[in-house]
Amino acid sequence: MSVASAIVRTSHPEPAVAVTAVAALLSFGLGRTWPGVLVAAATVLASQLSIGWVNDALDAPRDAAVGRTDKPVATGAISRRLVFTLGVTAAVVMVPLGFVSGITAGFVALLALVSALLYDWPLKSTPVSVLPYALSFACLPAFVVIGAGLVPPPWLLAAGALLGAGAHFVNALPDLDDDVRTGVRGLPHLLGRRGSLGAAAVLLLAATAALAFGPPGPPAPLFWPTLAVALVALSIGVYAMRRNPSSRVPFLSVIAVALIDVLFLLVSGLNLD
């Protein structure tokens, strides 16, 4: 594996690209200019890259101990120091980018980053491991909406928090056994595989429902087809998990649900009352 490939792999590219796409789509839907959309997307991307790189740098000893061949730092394909340096650099770059969208938006972006880095260490190994995910994902729509000069409604923040909490449980599932062997005791490890899968399903569907029933008035007609598609995506993830407990398909299902929810918002018309 080349150093360039290792750098990309350690950044956790799938969630980084997906979360950045969500931010860009929301920014576009709220009417920000193209420079504004690009700045918002760049802020979120820098934050996601920092989180991924710092995570892999901190987890390197544990990943090596359990023989994780999919982690470039653990296999020696790239140095731990370089990955950590990249993570710090991305965090430093993110701060001024965030404040381009405004003072309040900048502080919200910074809060999201700090919360996520606290998950990397030390909260991942505690019963409150879900909280950084919930807070950081609630901050994502808050940052975008505030950056567009609007006030984020509570239901949108709740939807983000629910989606983040569900993502946490799904993201932990493939590594559950390896984590336990290396001393990680987060909330998914306490609930176990079945409990975490059930919690994830409830939280993710609740996020979709919050987007439909949160705004005033009846839900948009597209809600029911959206819910059906989200159920299909989650069912595929559950099926893949039962066939292969280490499969990454369930997390891709979460990404699909997030994108489905954002498209539902955009097509239905962003009503932020």
Side-chain angles (χ1 to χ4, degrees):
M1 179 184 293
S2 67
V3 173
S5 297
I7 288 174
V8 172
R9 188 66 255 160
T10 54
S11 71
H12 297 211
E14 296 89 351
V17 170
V19 174
T20 301
V22 166
L25 287 170
L26 280 176
S27 296
F28 176 77
L30 290 169
R32 289 195 70 171
T33 63
W34 278 111
V37 172
L38 291 175
V39 166
T43 301
V44 173
L45 179 60
S47 179
Q48 288 296 304
L49 292 175
S50 175
I51 296 162
W53 281 325
V54 170
N55 176 80
D56 272 23
L58 293 176
D59 281 356
R62 295 193 307 102
D63 291 336
V66 296
R68 289 290 296 273
T69 58
D70 60 326
K71 292 296 189 78
V73 184
T75 61
I78 189 172
S79 75
R80 186 183 183 192
R81 176 176 294 183
L82 174 58
V83 173
F84 188 78
T85 301
L86 289 170
V88 172
T89 301
V92 171
V93 169
M94 189 231 71
V95 176
L97 279 174
F99 284 105
V100 172
S101 295
I103 299 298
T104 303
F107 277 115
V108 171
L110 183 58
L111 175 61
L113 175 62
V114 171
S115 170
L117 292 176
L118 286 174
Y119 170 78
D120 287 345
W121 186 86
L123 297 181
K124 176 189 288 188
S125 300
T126 71
V128 295
S129 60
V130 70
L131 293 183
Y133 264 82
L135 177 58
S136 293
F137 272 76
C139 286
L140 175 63
F143 163 71
V144 173
V145 173
I146 293 171
L150 302 169
V151 177
W155 58 264
L156 185 59
L157 303 183
L162 290 166
L163 184 64
H168 170 51
F169 286 107
V170 175
N171 191 43
L173 287 174
D175 306 324
L176 213 60
D177 295 335
D178 287 344
D179 285 345
V180 171
R181 287 168 56 192
T182 55
V184 175
R185 294 292 188 277
L187 186 56
H189 310 87
L190 298 177
L191 293 181
R193 194 171 299 278
R194 180 172 295 181
S196 294
L197 198 57
V202 170
L203 289 165
L204 293 170
L205 292 176
T208 303
L211 296 178
F213 295 99
L222 281 175
F223 167 65
W224 299 110
T226 300
L227 182 61
V229 175
L231 283 169
V232 170
L234 290 175
S235 298
I236 292 172
V238 171
Y239 176 75
M241 176 63 65
R242 288 180 174 175
R243 286 180 61 89
N244 179 11
S246 62
S247 172
R248 295 290 171 179
V249 172
F251 191 69
L252 295 178
S253 297
V254 174
I255 292 175
V257 170
L259 293 174
I260 290 166
D261 287 346
V262 172
L263 290 174
F264 166 71
L265 277 180
L266 296 178
V267 174
S268 302
L270 279 168
N271 179 9
L272 298 185
D273 293 334

